[in-house]
């Protein structure tokens, strides 16, 4: 399964990815119109730091996903074909079990909309918005196997 | 052909059959449930009662699931007895089913304390779809409801009924609500919040009698006060459903005793979920942790071990997450410092958000998060993995705490930041 990897030597913590993520998940898909949308989209990727070293954090779509196991409403499921962790927002009740168990802190509660904020790898797009937007090419969208070869 | 039986069709039972089928497509697999409903999301029942989610969203696994996985599902059949010597289970109607291997995932039932009148019509548990539908059916005639118990069951019921516009009073024996999950400071925030939403909570009180002829009309408290009500929900905890293995070779304390591979004391019988007693990672003793995430994890592992994988169960943990009127709260592990032992606690409270961590020696063993939940999963991972947190102990409560800050402790097998790893 393709997922996000980060070359932290290249990451400048500029947070362009956070903005691209917000815009990509907005209604208008337009940076200048986003600000006037009723509910402001929140980034599904976050840049955290330790000793000035950046650590971009987003959902890893884990093989053994603890969030799927803990999800008491059955709204989080593992797609057997693609390996992605899918979220059905109609089934979700906003109980935050997934937030409680994500060992990466990659799921945050959107308390306003009562759904978890987590990377959906831009679902239908060929390449996620953050990958396209990164000015230093620090975000890598690849299969794990491909990555090892590099 | 081998015959596997799973007793129970909820979190643990379903996780077990999914594991079994991922390894063995051929064996005969039978699931027996004493309920008359396909596998459903028990924890979503309160949201359904509140009118926040439709009945269709209760479905956890539909009929299609059983067909696709070639599972025989027996609904409305109660197993009254497991006979380990003859490798068979005996149903209420005396039908006998043989097995090669068995998973017991019978769950738990609400405790009904010995209070006069508790079996009156209008007094209900809060456990099954049937319970909820009965309460829903009574709603048109209900003006006031009383919830007995200040735990999650009592409060989730209170929340749901309040959302339906019913006046709700919660009767709590101890001095605080959620006494199993939170300390006084955390509980007080929730109690005040619930109060501001119109839920009246009476602490230090108990019901001594349910009044009414046939149908519930009122409850009488130990103070002598009488509260008129048409519905009473009993939220006094649950007890494991273990009656079916009494007086067999399967050892039982509070729940069915399991070894670290989730086997019972009988070789070909495993158990999982609310009916089981497992090693608690934080408490460091065997106990029942009747919670959905534990049940799924145990069920999945029991299923794998049933088909011979021999995986060790790392242990269970108390963990809960709930949201009352937009105020979320998470509790995990040990949240109130015991008198004995080298425990320390650190807390931070800002307005309606509260965070506390509990340390034992150099281990994190518990946490409370009210209001702001970010990073709670990192605390849980530190508790689960029993990692020495000396290096970051002073950072755990920082507003800037994140996975990055704990990376040196948790990131050893994380391939996400590959440059770091390849250096």
């Amino acid at each position: 399964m393709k997922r996000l990897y980060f070359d932290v030597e290249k990451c400048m913590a500029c947070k362009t990815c956070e903005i691209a993520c917000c815009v990509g998940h907005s209604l208008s898909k337009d940076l200048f119109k986003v600000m006037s949308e009723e509910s402001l989209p929140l980034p599904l990727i976050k840049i955290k730091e330790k000793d000035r070293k950046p650590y971009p954090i987003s959902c890893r779509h884990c093989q053994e996903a603890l969030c799927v196991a803990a999800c008491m409403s059955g709204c989080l499921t593992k797609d057997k074909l693609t390996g992605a962790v899918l979220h059905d927002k109609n089934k979700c009740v906003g109980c935050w079990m997934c937030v409680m168990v994500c060992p990466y802190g990659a799921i945050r509660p959107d308390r306003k909309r009562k759904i978890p904020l987590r990377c959906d790898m831009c679902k239908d797009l060929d390449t996620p918005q953050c990958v396209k937007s990164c000015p230093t090419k620090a975000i890598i969208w690849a299969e794990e196997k491909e990555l090892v070869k590099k | 052909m081998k015959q596997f039986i799973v007793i129970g069709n909820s979190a643990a039972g379903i996780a077990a059959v999914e594991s079994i089928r991922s390894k063995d497509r051929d064996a005969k697999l039978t699931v027996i449930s004493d309920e008359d409903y396909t596998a459903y999301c028990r924890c979503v029942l309160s949201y359904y009662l509140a009118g926040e989610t439709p009945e269709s969203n209760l479905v956890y696994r539909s009929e299609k699931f059983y067909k696709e996985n070639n599972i025989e599902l027996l609904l409305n059949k109660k197993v009254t007895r497991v006979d380990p010597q003859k490798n068979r289970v005996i149903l209420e109607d005396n039908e006998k089913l043989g097995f090669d291997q068995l998973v017991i995932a019978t769950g738990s039932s609400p405790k009904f304390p010995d209070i006069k009148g508790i079996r009156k019509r209008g007094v209900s548990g809060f456990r099954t779809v049937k319970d909820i539908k009965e309460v829903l059916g009574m709603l048109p005639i209900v003006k006031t409801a009383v919830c007995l118990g200040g735990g999650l069951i009592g409060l989730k019921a209170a929340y749901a009924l309040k959302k339906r516009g019913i006046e709700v009073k919660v009767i709590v024996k101890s001095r605080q609500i959620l006494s199993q999950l939170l300390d006084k400071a955390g509980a007080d925030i929730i109690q005040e919040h619930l109060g501001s939403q119109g839920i009246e909570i009476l602490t230090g009180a108990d019901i001594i009698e349910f009044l009414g002829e046939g149908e519930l009309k009122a409850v009488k408290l130990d103070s002598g006060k009488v509260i008129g009500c048409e519905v009473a929900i009993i939220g006094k905890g649950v007890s494991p459903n273990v009656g079916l293995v009494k007086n067999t070779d399967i050892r039982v304390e509070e729940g069915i005793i399991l070894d670290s591979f989730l086997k019972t004391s009988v070789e070909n019988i495993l158990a999982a979920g609310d009916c089981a007693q497992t090693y608690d990672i934080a408490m460091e003793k065997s106990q029942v942790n009747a919670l959905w995430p534990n049940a799924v994890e145990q069920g999945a592992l029991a299923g794998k071990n049933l088909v011979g994988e021999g995986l060790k169960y790392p242990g269970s943990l108390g963990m809960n997450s709930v949201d009352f009127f937009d105020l979320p709260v998470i509790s995990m592990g040990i949240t109130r410092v015991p008198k004995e032992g080298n425990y320390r606690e650190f807390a931070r409270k800002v307005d309606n958000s509260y965070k506390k961590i509990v340390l034992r020696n150099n281990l994190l063993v518990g946490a409370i998060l009210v209001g702001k939940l970010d990073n709670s999963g990192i605390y849980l991972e530190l508790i689960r993995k029993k990692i020495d947190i000396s290096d970051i102990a002073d950072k755990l409560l920082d507003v800037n705490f994140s996975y990055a800050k704990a990376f040196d402790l948790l990131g050893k097998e994380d391939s996400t930041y590959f440059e770091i790893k390849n250096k």
Side-chain angles (χ1 to χ4, degrees), chain B residues 57 121 142 152 176 194 216 240 286 323 396:
Chain B
N57 274 357
R121 197 179 127 72
V142 177
L152 271 184
Q176 67 162 82
L194 290 171
L216 180 70
S286 172
D323 191 312
L396 285 170

Side-chain angles (χ1 to χ4, degrees), chain A residues 3 7 50 56 60 91 95, chain B residues 59 321 408 414 416-417 419:
Chain A
R3 49 162 279 208
D7 184 343
K50 187 191 175 232
R60 283 109 203 272
K91 223 171 176 245
C95 70
Chain B
V59 176
S321 169
D408 292 343
D414 189 351
T416 302
Y417 311 103
E419 272 287 325

Side-chain angles (χ1 to χ4, degrees), chain A residues 10-75:
Chain A
K10 287 184 185 160
C11 177
M12 314 273 286
C14 66
K15 306 196 179 187
T16 303
C17 54
E18 291 190 14
I19 295 173
C21 179
C22 288
V23 175
H25 290 88
S26 68
L27 292 172
S28 61
K29 317 275 183 217
D30 182 314
L31 176 60
F32 298 100
K33 288 178 188 157
V34 160
M35 299 307 286
S36 57
E37 282 181 22
E38 197 180 330
S39 76
L40 277 181
L42 296 165
L44 310 179
I45 182 170
K46 287 286 264 185
I47 307 298
K48 300 288 181 183
E49 290 179 55
K50 187 191 175 232
D51 305 331
R52 311 205 63 189
K53 220 181 202 170
Y55 288 82
I57 290 170
S58 71
C59 173
R60 283 109 203 272
H61 296 264
C62 305
Q63 199 65 255
E64 299 275 332
L66 291 172
C67 56
V68 174
C71 180
M72 60 173 215
S73 73
C75 73

Side-chain angles (χ1 to χ4, degrees), chain B residues 324-342:
Chain B
F324 292 119
F325 302 102
D326 302 326
L327 183 64
V329 52
I330 282 176
S331 151
M332 55 181 75
I334 298 167
T335 56
R336 288 195 297 187
V337 172
K339 285 194 185 93
E340 302 280 310
N342 189 17

